[in-house]
Amino acid sequence: MPRSFVTSSSPSRRGFLAAVGAATFGVALSACSGGNGSGGNSAKPVSQADIDKAMKTPTELTFWTWVPNIDKEVALFEQKYPAIKVKVVNAGQGVAHYTKLRTAIKAGKGAPDLAQVEYQAIPTFTITDSLLDLNPYGAAGLKSKFVDWTWAQVSGSGGEIWAIPQDTGPLGMLYRQDIFHQHGIKPPTTWDEFAAAARKLHKADPDVYLTNLAANEAAAWHGLLWQAGAHPYALSGKSDITIDVNDAISKKLGTYWGGLAKEGVISTDPDFTDGWYAGLNKGRYATWITAAWGPAFLSGSAKATAGKWRAAPLPQWDASSPASGNWGGSTSAVIRSTKNPVAAAQFAQFLNSDPATAKMFATEQSFFPATKALLADASFSGATPSFYGGQKVNQVFADISDTVSDGFQWPPFLDQAATDWTETVGKSLAGKTDSGAALDAWQQRLTTYAKGQGFTVKSA
């Protein structure tokens, strides 16, 4: 998921992060080994006979993951393949996880057979040829099982399959039905309606904001860029990258959100802080623009508001063409240095495509599914949680998932992109300064960084 997304037993930010990782990571071009991240792992298909033989050969796999209680899903795999044992290791979360993984890969020892890798982190590892192409191991046969855009996120330009999707975070909107009713506001279907509602609500009650756009949350901004149809990054080979974070679409978002911030009709409080949690519980925010993991997280973090929230799609820029972005989600990737590629590839595939394990992720870890079958399963989509007044919230987000486009790409240095966003655009939102100038500064900082890492930088 994004920086780590899924509900935990504690509503603290640490617990939140522990559940699903973090969206900050980076890589220097100078660390690259041979290959170009798109075809370096090409190999002949492995025969079914060889797969069957490998799955009957006593083997131990090491799997690095931050997902809590994943032993339950792993046990189902071991029941089907008793010769294969999986050692689950929590090597950290977020930055710690990725740092240890890159260090082990570079050292040539200590790396696991498989690792949890978020969608946005995949370029960090493919550019160094650190992931095994799963195509020769039968992974292509799973394509139809997964939501189309998730498969695009794990696929290489040369037909490689770098990982198997596990969960997702399509963006929607959670809103306080009681506050909306009190002030005669209907769930906005366009961003123009959203802006009008923000002004109306804050004028009527200066203590309440229609939403909070966290000035420290680059991940959410990327999700909004995705929804708007932006293409801020495009990597070609291992040394050419297009950076376009201040294009016309980005400027439109900057003008829109920067304008609302300047008017003072939305807040820009940092999220996952004590003040932010208090705001959710006390009605400071009438909506939360969040991902599909948000409903489960909110129900554990704002218990005082049970029954008052509902879910809706994001407001649209073009109501005739519904669109959304994604914030969060992760995959299972096989590390290229594994000595057990067949068993590791089969484990990654089973873990995320087997109906029983996929459903267990949804029920045990509150992950939002990446498989089409589970999204269409009435036992999942038809759930009516009392926290949301009996609304079929999963169905709302399942429908939203269908509107996420498959063309969004990530840079191989998202940690830098996130840091620079916070120090430029995020700072401008919080300080109510010129968002256009902040976007230009973000573009310049990222361009300078990328060139310093040896990339040839282009702009669209």
Side-chain angles (χ1 to χ4, degrees):
M1 312 189 82
R3 286 193 341 212
S4 356
F5 306 118
V6 158
T7 187
S8 65
S9 57
S10 166
S12 69
R13 185 169 188 239
R14 176 174 294 182
F16 187 47
L17 292 172
V20 279
T24 51
F25 22 70
V27 64
L29 188 61
S30 59
C32 293
S33 58
N36 62 10
S38 59
N41 294 343
S42 59
K44 294 181 180 179
V46 177
S47 69
Q48 187 60 51
D50 285 341
I51 292 175
D52 292 341
K53 179 180 179 181
M55 301 311 287
K56 295 177 181 178
T57 302
T59 305
E60 181 179 88
L61 300 174
T62 299
F63 178 35
W64 285 11
T65 176
W66 56 78
V67 176
N69 303 316
I70 200 171
D71 288 338
K72 296 180 179 180
E73 286 88 348
V74 170
L76 295 181
F77 172 80
E78 292 179 334
Q79 288 173 15
K80 183 171 183 179
Y81 300 104
I84 313 297
K85 304 302 178 185
V86 181
K87 180 181 180 182
V88 175
V89 176
N90 186 333
Q93 59 194 50
V95 175
H97 170 87
Y98 292 120
T99 298
K100 289 180 181 178
L101 183 56
R102 286 196 299 271
T103 299
I105 291 171
K106 186 176 181 180
K109 60 180 180 180
D113 296 283
L114 305 97
Q116 197 89 19
V117 179
E118 293 162 294
Y119 296 109
Q120 61 267 42
I122 289 175
T124 299
F125 294 98
T126 58
I127 199 172
T128 55
D129 289 331
S130 299
L131 302 185
L132 184 72
D133 178 9
L134 302 180
N135 206 359
Y137 302 89
L142 301 179
K143 180 179 179 179
S144 64
K145 295 180 180 292
F146 291 93
V147 176
D148 293 346
W149 67 264
T150 66
W151 199 256
Q153 288 280 297
V154 302
S155 299
S157 60
E160 306 85 4
I161 301 170
W162 298 123
I164 306 298
Q166 186 166 102
D167 62 296
T168 68
L171 278 176
M173 182 180 72
L174 301 180
Y175 67 94
R176 285 283 297 268
Q177 186 185 52
D178 57 329
I179 296 176
F180 274 34
H181 179 74
Q182 179 185 351
H183 294 282
I185 297 173
K186 295 181 179 180
T189 59
T190 68
W191 286 114
D192 284 343
E193 291 177 0
F194 186 91
R199 297 180 182 107
K200 177 181 179 179
L201 176 59
H202 194 61
K203 181 178 180 180
D205 188 344
D207 292 329
V208 180
Y209 298 90
L210 184 63
T211 202
N212 178 71
L213 185 68
N216 66 329
E217 194 54 81
W221 184 265
H222 281 84
L224 292 171
L225 284 174
W226 193 334
Q227 186 219 11
H231 296 282
Y233 317 104
L235 185 64
S236 177
K238 71 174 184 178
S239 61
D240 294 338
I241 188 168
T242 298
I243 300 175
D244 207 16
V245 298
N246 66 340
D247 66 347
I249 295 176
S250 301
K251 287 290 180 74
K252 179 176 70 174
L253 286 185
T255 298
Y256 180 84
W257 289 107
L260 293 179
K262 285 182 180 179
E263 290 182 48
V265 297
I266 65 167
S267 59
T268 56
D269 304 332
D271 58 5
F272 308 109
T273 61
D274 290 343
W276 181 78
Y277 286 115
L280 289 174
N281 278 280
K282 296 179 179 179
R284 176 176 169 84
Y285 319 123
T287 73
W288 182 24
I289 295 171
T290 187
W293 43 262
F297 175 76
L298 184 66
S299 65
S301 303
K303 294 181 179 180
T305 62
K308 298 178 180 179
W309 292 88
R310 301 292 186 272
L314 285 182
Q316 297 294 308
W317 293 109
D318 180 359
S320 67
S321 182
S324 188
N326 185 73
W327 174 10
S330 59
T331 72
S332 299
V334 178
I335 306 306
R336 191 178 183 186
S337 59
T338 179
K339 304 299 183 184
N340 307 292
V342 175
Q346 296 308 302
F347 172 66
Q349 294 176 61
F350 176 93
L351 183 68
N352 300 303
S353 68
D354 179 76
T357 54
K359 192 164 188 175
M360 190 176 289
F361 278 124
T363 57
E364 295 290 330
Q365 286 91 6
S366 298
F367 279 11
F368 197 77
T371 61
K372 295 176 181 178
L374 187 52
L375 288 173
D377 187 334
S379 67
F380 173 78
S381 61
T384 55
S386 60
F387 188 88
Y388 295 93
Q391 183 186 19
K392 295 181 180 179
V393 176
N394 287 343
Q395 184 64 64
V396 173
F397 280 93
D399 292 340
I400 291 171
S401 184
D402 286 338
T403 69
V404 178
S405 69
D406 61 6
F408 197 86
Q409 298 183 45
W410 301 98
F413 41 77
L414 192 60
D415 59 340
Q416 190 67 35
T419 296
D420 286 347
W421 181 89
T422 301
E423 295 177 356
T424 55
V425 182
K427 186 176 180 180
S428 76
L429 292 170
K432 302 179 180 181
T433 58
D434 187 345
S435 59
L439 285 164
D440 291 339
W442 185 26
Q443 173 77 20
Q444 184 57 53
R445 287 177 62 152
L446 269 184
T447 298
T448 299
Y449 176 83
K451 288 180 177 179
Q453 298 303 309
F455 289 95
T456 298
V457 181
K458 302 177 182 179
S459 59

